[in-house]
């Protein structure tokens, strides 16, 4: 897909996320890998609901911002993930309500924030490691995400007390993954206190094999 088509698709999907409440105010950032090298990233401080292609920031193949709109303060973690996960074509970071609520719970298991109880969580995310809290924009987020992405071949990471970071093969895939994860977190809160039938190891292994 050409740079312009990717830019238009990114803006349209960001607006769709915003319009349906997955992002509010200036929260969240999204990036895509360009076929010719480099990346498009949403600008810092902007609303995902009101972007045009001209508002997008560009990062060159060497990881340097191209003169123009200022990239998200989180572009370092987007780059770090693109670098260690060459199959990823897009990254979505959201403060969506239920995933962010989950990220604020104390004593989350660091290897996986959500024990699987539906197939799509396993197929879309795999599982969801937790990155410790750092202030937004801190370089430690990029460092820890890169380490986690190398150690865990999964599509989603929960930033403690902050939100979620989701990978996809392209921006549509990353957005679909993020939406389904948010729904999984919503279900987890609806089911709190209920006796949940969690997927067993054989069921999880079968789903992981399918997702490969
Ligand atoms: O939480 C934050 O401040 C950032 O992680 C974020 O979501 C929005 O920052 P920008 O992408 O720099 O607007
Ligand atoms: Zn954020």
């Amino acid at each position: 897909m050409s740079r312009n088509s990717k830019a238009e698709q990114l803006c349209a999907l960001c607006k769709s996320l915003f319009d349906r409440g997955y992002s509010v105010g200036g929260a969240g950032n999204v990036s895509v890998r360009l076929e010719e090298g480099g990346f498009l990233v949403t600008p810092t401080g902007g609303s995902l609901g009101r972007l045009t292609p001209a508002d997008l920031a560009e990062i060159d193949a060497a990881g340097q911002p191209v003169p123009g709109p200022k990239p998200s303060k989180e572009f370092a973690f987007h780059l770090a993930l693109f670098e260690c996960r060459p199959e990823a074509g897009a990254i979505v970071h959201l403060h969506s309500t239920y995933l962010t609520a989950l990220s604020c719970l104390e004593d989350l298991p660091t290897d996986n924030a959500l024990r699987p109880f539906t197939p799509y969580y396993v197929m879309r995310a795999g599982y969801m490691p937790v990155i410790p809290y750092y202030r937004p924009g801190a370089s430690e987020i990029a460092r820890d995400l890169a380490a986690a992405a190398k150690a865990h071949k999964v599509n989603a990471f929960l930033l403690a007390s902050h939100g979620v970071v989701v990978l996809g093969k392209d921006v549509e895939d990353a957005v679909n993954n993020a939406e389904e994860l948010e729904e999984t977190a919503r279900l987890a809160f609806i089911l709190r206190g209920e006796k949940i039938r969690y997927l067993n190891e054989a069921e999880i292994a079968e789903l992981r094999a399918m997702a490969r």
Side-chain angles (χ1 to χ4, degrees), residues 46-82:
S47 160
L48 295 190
R50 292 182 283 277
L51 292 173
T52 69
D55 298 321
L56 298 177
E58 190 163 344
I59 309 295
D60 69 20
Q64 294 307 311
V66 170
K70 193 171 170 210
S72 165
K73 68 165 97 57
E74 309 288 16
F75 90 87
F77 83 56
H78 288 249
L79 284 185
L81 285 173
F82 280 127

Side-chain angles (χ1 to χ4, degrees), residues 26-29 42-46 71-74 77 93 95 136-137 162:
N29 32 74
T42 52
T44 190
S72 165
K73 68 165 97 57
E74 309 288 16
F77 83 56
H93 163 56
H95 302 177
H162 183 166

Side-chain angles (χ1 to χ4, degrees), residues 108-190:
L108 279 175
T110 54
D111 57 332
N112 183 18
L114 273 176
R115 187 171 160 198
F117 53 85
T118 59
Y120 58 76
Y121 171 62
V122 181
M123 293 191 294
R124 286 276 173 194
Y127 51 95
M128 191 160 50
V130 180
I131 307 300
Y133 174 77
Y134 302 105
R135 66 158 175 81
S139 61
E140 290 90 343
I141 304 179
R143 181 197 65 194
D144 285 15
L145 271 174
K150 282 178 195 151
H152 306 274
K153 292 289 169 226
V154 296
N155 285 332
F157 304 89
L158 200 62
L159 305 181
S161 309
H162 183 166
V164 72
V165 179
V166 184
L167 314 184
K169 60 183 187 313
D170 54 35
V171 70
E172 200 174 349
D173 189 47
V175 166
N176 284 344
N177 288 347
E179 290 180 14
E180 293 205 21
L181 270 175
E182 173 65 8
E183 190 61 15
T184 305
R186 195 168 80 91
L187 286 172
F189 279 98
I190 288 172

